[in-house]
Amino acid sequence: SIPDTNVTVDLFFYDVPGASTFHQRGLQSKHYNDASIVVCVFDISSRKSFQSCAKWIQSVRSAQADFPTNEVEVILVANKVDLREDKADGDVSLAEVEDSEGECFANDNGFRYFETSVLDGYNLDT
């Protein structure tokens, strides 16, 4: 329940990185049909992780094609942004995805975009 309201929310998290079995068995449509929001988190040190977000988002939208009144909101989250920082000791940035790429992809597709770092707590509320 959401405090001070009469609203109850069902919240499900699926952590399925590279889960080809999830796709092969058609399990995604079972879980996607009623989704209102999809949060796709990618690791900025992995271009493959970033590219996979587009596939996952398309998969959700395809599964919802039969439900045009239930348009899903997409939130794209770049994680490990601490790896992009200039290192004081001269280390090279480990980022494979620049912030402008994530922002551009999100803007071009009408997604919300956030950057976070779990390591240093950047942009996270506890």
Side-chain angles (χ1 to χ4, degrees), residues 31-76:
H31 297 287
Y32 294 167
N33 287 342
D34 295 326
S36 298
I37 298 172
V38 170
V39 179
C40 191
V41 180
F42 69 93
D43 172 353
I44 69 158
S45 68
S46 168
R47 178 152 302 279
K48 183 177 179 181
S49 172
F50 176 66
Q51 293 167 335
S52 292
C53 277
K55 293 176 188 173
W56 282 104
I57 293 164
Q58 181 57 44
S59 177
V60 171
R61 290 196 166 154
S62 293
Q64 290 191 324
D66 295 333
F67 304 94
T69 58
N70 185 24
E71 187 165 332
V72 67
E73 178 180 354
V74 176
I75 301 171
L76 184 64

Side-chain angles (χ1 to χ4, degrees), residues 87-109:
K87 306 294 181 188
D89 58 5
D91 286 347
V92 177
S93 171
L94 299 175
E96 291 185 5
V97 181
E98 295 301 320
D99 56 346
S100 58
E101 291 178 87
E103 288 176 25
C104 188
F105 178 68
N107 289 337
D108 288 350
N109 291 283

